[in-house]
Amino acid sequence: MIALHSLPLSSSNRQTSFKCSVVGALLAGVIVLLGTLNAGAATPAAPAANRPNIVIILADDLGYGDLGSYGAIKVKTPHLDRLAAEGMRFTDAHAAAGVCVPSRYALMTGRYPFRNDRDWRQGTVIEDGRLTIASLVKSRGYATGMVGKWHLGFENGIAFNYAQPLRGGPVDRGFDSFFGIHASTDIPPYFYIRNDRVVAAPTDKIEANSSPGWSPIQGAFWREGPISPDLKLEAVMPRFTQEAVNWLAQRPSGGTNTSQPFLLYVAFTAPHTPWLPTEKFAGTSEASMYGDFVAQVDDSVGQILAAVERAGAKENTLVFFTSDNGPVWYPEDTKRLGHSSTGSLRGMKGDAWEGGHRLPFLARWPARIKPGSVNATTISFVDLLATFAEITGAKLPADAGEDSFSILPALLGQTATARPGIMTLSSRGALTLREGDWKFISALGSGGFSPPNKQAPTPGGPTGQLYHLGRDPGEQNNLWQQEPEVVARLSARLKAAQTAGRTRP
């Protein structure tokens, strides 16, 4: 029996300490997949002139229902809606976790986060020497840059020595350059980092703040602590946007087919708390300060897309936009403002329910992706590594991207390769497994931020949750006891995936 230990979480600290049990012993042949388009059998290397530039824009705590292209009415997102119209909109895309640290680990490594027990406060979350999306494309000749929120730790954890290099960060995990912050803008100490150096030490102090009328972890919420004189919380998003625009402007020959291809990863800090829209966006939505902050995210995306176009790189640039996990948005917020940040999905950030990890996911590649297309393929953040391997002609080694499957066929409008479902991790350690429309959850309750986050089984009652999302997308009818054969099958598959240490053959 595999023991599932929970990830500690408290209402005063919204970040997971990213600890879960890992039982790993490689068992060959546990999972067999049909098809040949897997990450370990990538297509031959494409000519350098045909390999696309790649831009990944990751919002922070943005919900499935926050964009106009996903049904939002009270918040206007014209730039993101244009991105959807010019590319592909996925309706069943998932983060590998309901909170940011494990979600970002999965995006970077193509590996499910329950396989990792590292704490970002104690050291680096990404193991030294592990292949990342950045180091992969860098090995294929790409220039690589990152702007924004790292939140995957440094060698000394949060015991920062501001006069020394911060080792184990982005520039040690495949990025040529980095400008950003170590975690969220509600987690001190607050300071900027350029490559592996602190720009200015946090010698000042900022007092804690919260917003009346919202829960303690919503609104203009941040924690007290040290802050550098050059960092203003409300100016972080504009600064990151400008840094990304500047990075694109510095590409040789504008990033065209005759120059070095590039990967730019922009990790926004919004609309995560503190919700601090600038004056330009304050009051522009009908969803209060949160909606205004979403509108600012949209504008920042528009500025980055414009920079790609000015560089003459639009036609051969593959742009992804998504969010790291769901929002902190309660049912009473929806009733009060008439805006559901998670759309019709149940739950929110942290949860095993869909609102915690099903997210907007947009992809544009004018040379290859059909404009205005909608794709219902079930995909996960872990799939980016294998996708980039196939695009660039790389072959993944056995000890990399253990759970990553290329979504290039889906992007090109082709039938996606069969895969053994997807798995997600809640903030309290509940695991989910999707197999077609079936969704298995290893525990009762939300497993995250929504009450009840944990429930003890009643005598003779279900010990977990099983939903058929095709018939019950709102996850209201637990079929655990009505479908014992499905429960047994999915439970066995989940344990096999844990034991094998991988799902990619």
Side-chain angles (χ1 to χ4, degrees):
M1 178 68 71
I2 305 297
L4 300 179
H5 298 290
S6 66
L7 296 177
L9 180 73
S10 67
S11 61
S12 64
N13 188 336
R14 305 171 55 205
Q15 309 301 322
T16 174
S17 63
F18 196 28
K19 295 178 180 176
C20 62
S21 174
V22 179
V23 179
L26 294 178
L27 301 177
V30 173
I31 299 173
V32 179
L33 296 180
L34 298 175
T36 59
L37 285 175
N38 62 67
T43 55
N50 293 328
R51 283 180 285 168
N53 308 305
I54 301 168
V55 175
I56 305 168
I57 305 174
L58 185 69
D60 197 351
D61 286 15
L62 181 82
Y64 186 84
D66 281 332
L67 308 187
S69 55
Y70 284 83
I73 297 174
K74 298 296 183 75
V75 182
K76 305 301 181 185
T77 55
H79 299 289
L80 287 164
D81 296 345
R82 178 169 63 88
L83 186 65
E86 294 177 346
M88 179 175 287
R89 178 172 64 88
F90 283 83
T91 59
D92 200 10
H94 298 260
V99 282
C100 56
V101 176
S103 173
R104 290 159 197 268
Y105 174 84
L107 184 149
M108 289 290 296
T109 67
R111 186 174 186 241
Y112 286 133
F114 69 82
R115 306 193 192 283
N116 185 307
D117 63 354
R118 292 175 172 232
D119 184 343
W120 70 275
R121 296 179 182 86
Q122 303 300 319
T124 57
V125 177
I126 300 176
E127 308 91 328
D128 188 28
R130 174 162 288 279
L131 191 70
T132 67
I133 55 173
S135 59
L136 169 75
V137 300
K138 186 174 182 177
S139 73
R140 305 300 292 169
Y142 277 60
T144 57
M146 178 183 172
V147 174
K149 169 181 166 178
W150 176 234
H151 216 169
L152 288 170
F154 295 89
E155 284 185 357
N156 294 327
I158 57 175
F160 297 112
N161 184 331
Y162 302 112
Q164 297 296 321
L166 301 180
R167 308 308 306 176
V171 295
D172 292 321
R173 296 297 183 264
F175 291 101
D176 297 325
S177 66
F178 169 65
F179 181 85
I181 57 178
H182 75 97
S184 305
T185 43
D186 59 8
I187 299 179
Y190 307 105
F191 59 90
Y192 287 123
I193 305 166
R194 174 81 66 184
N195 296 326
D196 61 356
R197 295 280 182 166
V198 175
V199 174
T203 54
D204 294 343
K205 183 179 180 180
I206 189 171
E207 299 299 325
N209 193 70
S210 61
S211 293
W214 294 95
S215 78
I217 56 173
Q218 291 177 293
F221 158 75
W222 63 79
R223 298 171 180 84
E224 70 172 357
I227 188 170
S228 64
D230 65 331
L231 190 150
K232 307 299 179 187
L233 294 179
E234 66 274 14
V236 170
M237 270 292 290
R239 178 69 184 273
F240 286 169
T241 304
Q242 190 59 52
E243 288 281 341
V245 168
N246 292 346
W247 192 92
L248 289 165
Q250 294 166 5
R251 294 307 91 210
S253 303
T256 62
N257 288 346
T258 59
S259 67
Q260 182 184 23
F262 62 78
L263 165 71
L264 175 62
Y265 169 42
V266 184
F268 286 148
T269 51
H272 193 291
T273 50
W275 300 343
L276 295 173
T278 58
E279 184 177 354
K280 177 181 177 181
F281 300 98
T284 59
S285 79
E286 297 179 61
S288 191
M289 57 202 306
Y290 176 81
D292 298 346
F293 214 20
V294 172
Q296 184 170 339
V297 169
D298 178 76
D299 183 79
S300 291
V301 171
Q303 292 183 54
I304 293 171
L305 296 179
V308 171
E309 193 160 353
R310 283 196 302 272
K314 177 180 177 180
E315 291 303 309
N316 197 39
T317 297
L318 173 55
V319 177
F320 290 103
F321 174 85
T322 188
S323 174
D324 64 340
N325 48 250
V328 178
W329 198 255
Y330 296 91
E332 49 265 37
D333 299 326
T334 299
K335 293 177 182 178
R336 178 165 57 96
L337 296 170
H339 172 73
S340 176
S341 185
T342 58
S344 60
L345 304 179
R346 184 183 186 186
M348 61 176 172
K349 178 177 180 174
D351 293 356
W353 296 327
E354 292 291 285
H357 51 81
R358 187 188 294 205
L359 302 163
F361 192 98
L362 306 175
R364 187 188 74 182
W365 186 5
R368 305 295 297 277
I369 294 176
K370 181 181 178 181
S373 50
V374 179
N375 198 307
T377 303
T378 305
I379 65 172
S380 170
F381 278 10
V382 293
D383 295 332
L384 289 186
L385 186 72
T387 303
F388 297 166
E390 183 169 8
I391 287 173
T392 62
K395 183 178 177 67
L396 292 182
D399 61 350
E402 292 92 334
D403 302 297
S404 189
F405 293 81
S406 176
I407 63 169
L408 182 59
L411 293 171
L412 302 182
Q414 302 164 2
T415 301
T417 305
R419 64 173 295 161
I422 63 167
M423 299 171 66
T424 58
L425 175 71
S426 80
S427 64
R428 291 180 178 267
L431 284 172
T432 73
L433 173 66
R434 276 285 301 280
E435 181 188 77
D437 283 332
W438 288 112
K439 179 179 178 180
F440 173 100
I441 305 177
S442 65
L444 296 174
S446 73
F449 284 28
S450 296
N453 51 48
K454 190 174 182 180
Q455 286 181 293
T458 59
T463 58
Q465 300 171 71
L466 179 72
Y467 301 104
H468 189 281
L469 298 182
R471 298 190 296 264
D472 180 25
E475 300 174 277
Q476 298 298 313
N477 185 20
N478 186 359
L479 301 175
W480 187 274
Q481 292 180 296
Q482 292 94 318
E483 300 284 351
E485 293 182 359
V486 177
V487 169
R489 182 178 76 248
L490 297 186
S491 178
R493 287 190 60 189
L494 185 63
K495 292 171 185 176
Q498 290 177 283
T499 304
R502 62 188 307 114
T503 52
R504 179 172 66 87

